[in-house]
Amino acid sequence: LTSPGGKVLISDYGEVRSIGARMGTSEYEVRKYDLTAKIAPFLDAHLVFPLLDFLEEKTSYSNREVQRARLALLAPTNMIDYAIEIHAQVTGESEPPEAMAQQLQTTLEKIKSLEARTQKTRDLLENSEKIESLKREGTFTAAYLVEHHEISPAMLEEYYDFAKFLYECGDYQNTRDMLEHYLTLNAATQSSPTSMSTRYFQALWGKFASEVLLKNWDEALADLLGLKQVVDERNSPPLEQLQQRSWLLHWSLFVFFNHDKGHDGIIDLFLSEKYLQAIQTNCPWLLRYLTAAVIINKRRRSSLDHLVKVVTQDRTEAAALAAERKAASTDDDLLADDPVTRFVDCLYARFDFDRAQATLADCDKALRADYFLCNCADAFMEVSFEVCFETYCRIHTKIDVDLLARKLDMDTERAERWIVDLIRAARLDAKIDSVSNCVVMRNHSPSVYAQVLEKTRDLQVRTAALVTNVDQKIANYERSKAAAQAAVSRDDRD
């Protein structure tokens, strides 16, 4: 497996996949709904560590098995001190293996070598006052540093190599700062995705990963949008583009489920044509996250119809394929059995309210065992009860309150209060008949005006996102233009 940065990761995520393979029957449900083994191969090794920490702290997985998976992930990195510590915990041996000790010595020697070779470059780029001055003058470019500070392109490439090596050592803050300098210095010559060098492209992925690991969500979102543009516009072979989009979709989960505007962002990205094709082709398990975002985000209900079509189609195909492959567990089995997508299919496609309600218990287990969705579990369950009731009301004219109370596992008085609040919140044309103890619906087809409002409800949000992207492109163009003009002015003076 090769990362977007060209780094060979673990060739077999066997240790990650084996977590839970020897679990007891009582822990089966956690293993059944856990997507870590599916997601891990699409992440950089460093991004998998937070997932393993979650499994260790929040689930019933064996601590020893998680530690073995963590040790396997550390193998291709330079985090040798951490690897030695984990090895001691797993094996009980106080002395590290000779190979680890040798790797630690090699790592320390390489750090010293890279520090010496990049000393001049770092002395300049770590001078914040000097850098700010160059940026104000519009002269913070690779060409200017070559001419006035004798920082050659080869020296900048060594600086990049040092940043990448520090990332492998787990020094994400210095990696982030160094890659930001590297990207800014080369921006004038790398502004076009079609002519962008491989190393510059790798640096974009490296900075994005560093921002995620540092939990700088605003910067990570900006890097995500920039990477999406580059991936879409690069003239890469179709198979390579599919792989890059699949990586970007998985990496984006860290941003979208931590950023304030993440639920809007994940809907826009995952439902865009090319990325939806990537999900359906390469990683159908990501439909869980798209479904959760659409259900939770009440402002984006206009996306629900599109989601239902996608989920219904994929679940139908997955169920058919899974039935043909009874001998082994496959991605099709996983999609067909995912409780979150099953809930949407039961409620909006089959209108099977009993099964939809029964599925919510499984949804709660799946969400709380999911690193990205655990904090959304309460919101999802609350909204799911609401949409169940709302959908049920829209296709019935009279509903018995006692029946609803039993379905909602509430007493009659509490269920009645809950129904009244929900009718007001959902703006349903309904009333409660206290004599017959029923909810009476006055169903009518929505007017054309109401349908237009529903379809354009999220137009303002999408327009704002479009304006932001346009402004970013204009700003990038202006910076490139200013840098080019500054270079021409210097040539004229010379």
Side-chain angles (χ1 to χ4, degrees), residues 16-34 55 59-63 65-66:
V16 178
R17 293 182 184 277
S18 70
I19 297 178
R22 292 175 286 277
M23 291 166 56
T25 305
S26 61
E27 299 167 330
Y28 173 72
E29 291 298 327
V30 175
R31 178 185 58 181
K32 183 178 179 182
Y33 300 131
D34 178 34
L55 292 179
T59 70
S60 55
Y61 282 126
S62 163
N63 177 269
E65 294 301 319
V66 175

Side-chain angles (χ1 to χ4, degrees), residues 237-251:
L239 188 59
E240 185 177 332
Q241 272 200 331
L242 174 63
Q243 183 192 33
Q244 291 168 356
R245 289 193 176 111
S246 299
W247 278 76
L248 193 62
L249 286 164
H250 285 81
W251 291 32

Side-chain angles (χ1 to χ4, degrees), residues 1-216:
L1 177 68
T2 304
S3 75
K7 172 169 61 70
V8 177
L9 301 179
I10 298 175
S11 58
D12 179 8
Y13 271 76
E15 288 295 337
V16 178
R17 293 182 184 277
S18 70
I19 297 178
R22 292 175 286 277
M23 291 166 56
T25 305
S26 61
E27 299 167 330
Y28 173 72
E29 291 298 327
V30 175
R31 178 185 58 181
K32 183 178 179 182
Y33 300 131
D34 178 34
L35 296 180
T36 304
K38 296 293 182 184
I39 292 174
F42 291 88
L43 298 177
D44 182 87
H46 295 257
L47 294 176
V48 181
F49 290 125
L51 275 65
L52 294 183
D53 292 341
F54 174 82
L55 292 179
E56 189 174 35
E57 296 173 9
K58 303 294 185 180
T59 70
S60 55
Y61 282 126
S62 163
N63 177 269
R64 183 178 180 82
E65 294 301 319
V66 175
Q67 290 289 61
R68 289 182 61 184
R70 189 178 282 119
L71 188 61
L73 284 173
L74 286 167
T77 74
N78 293 321
M79 301 168 68
I80 313 303
D81 289 337
Y82 189 27
I84 291 174
E85 178 184 340
I86 299 299
H87 180 270
Q89 294 175 8
V90 171
T91 63
E93 299 175 2
S94 58
E95 293 296 324
E98 184 178 348
M100 279 190 178
Q102 181 60 40
Q103 189 179 359
L104 176 60
Q105 184 61 33
T106 303
T107 299
L108 294 174
E109 291 174 358
K110 186 159 186 182
I111 288 177
K112 291 181 180 179
S113 173
L114 286 169
E115 283 179 342
R117 283 152 45 193
T118 60
Q119 186 65 53
K120 183 177 180 179
T121 307
R122 289 186 296 111
D123 286 345
L124 173 63
L125 298 181
E126 291 174 5
N127 186 337
S128 57
E129 293 183 2
K130 180 65 175 178
I131 298 306
E132 287 301 320
S133 175
L134 292 175
K135 288 181 177 179
R136 285 194 301 269
E137 296 170 0
T139 57
F140 190 57
T141 64
Y144 185 84
L145 295 190
V146 169
E147 184 176 353
H148 293 84
H149 295 276
E150 298 180 350
I151 304 294
S152 66
M155 294 170 69
L156 284 179
E157 294 308 313
E158 284 188 335
Y159 184 73
Y160 164 85
D161 291 336
F162 191 23
K164 186 176 180 181
F165 192 80
L166 288 178
Y167 178 82
E168 295 304 329
C169 294
D171 188 352
Y172 307 125
Q173 183 62 59
N174 279 325
T175 299
R176 181 252 174 222
D177 295 341
M178 294 172 72
L179 288 179
E180 183 177 39
H181 289 323
Y182 178 84
L183 292 169
T184 305
L185 286 168
N186 291 284
T189 59
Q190 303 287 338
S191 57
S192 173
T194 55
S195 60
M196 183 178 293
S197 70
T198 301
R199 286 173 73 87
Y200 193 86
F201 186 48
Q202 293 171 357
L204 290 174
W205 283 99
K207 178 162 184 301
F208 179 34
S210 299
E211 299 289 11
V212 168
L213 291 163
L214 291 169
K215 299 183 179 181
N216 297 331

Side-chain angles (χ1 to χ4, degrees), residues 121 126 129 169 214 224 266 268 285 293 295 305 344 370 454 471:
T121 307
E126 291 174 5
E129 293 183 2
C169 294
L214 291 169
L224 170 62
I266 191 173
D268 291 333
W285 49 85
I295 293 295
D305 289 342
V344 169
D370 192 298
E454 179 65 25
D471 288 343

Side-chain angles (χ1 to χ4, degrees), residues 339-365:
V340 180
T341 57
R342 191 198 321 150
F343 169 73
V344 169
D345 184 51
C346 292
L347 182 61
Y348 292 105
R350 306 179 189 276
F351 297 102
D352 187 342
F353 295 97
D354 290 334
R355 192 177 177 200
Q357 181 194 0
T359 300
L360 283 177
D362 293 332
C363 288
D364 190 54
K365 295 176 185 176

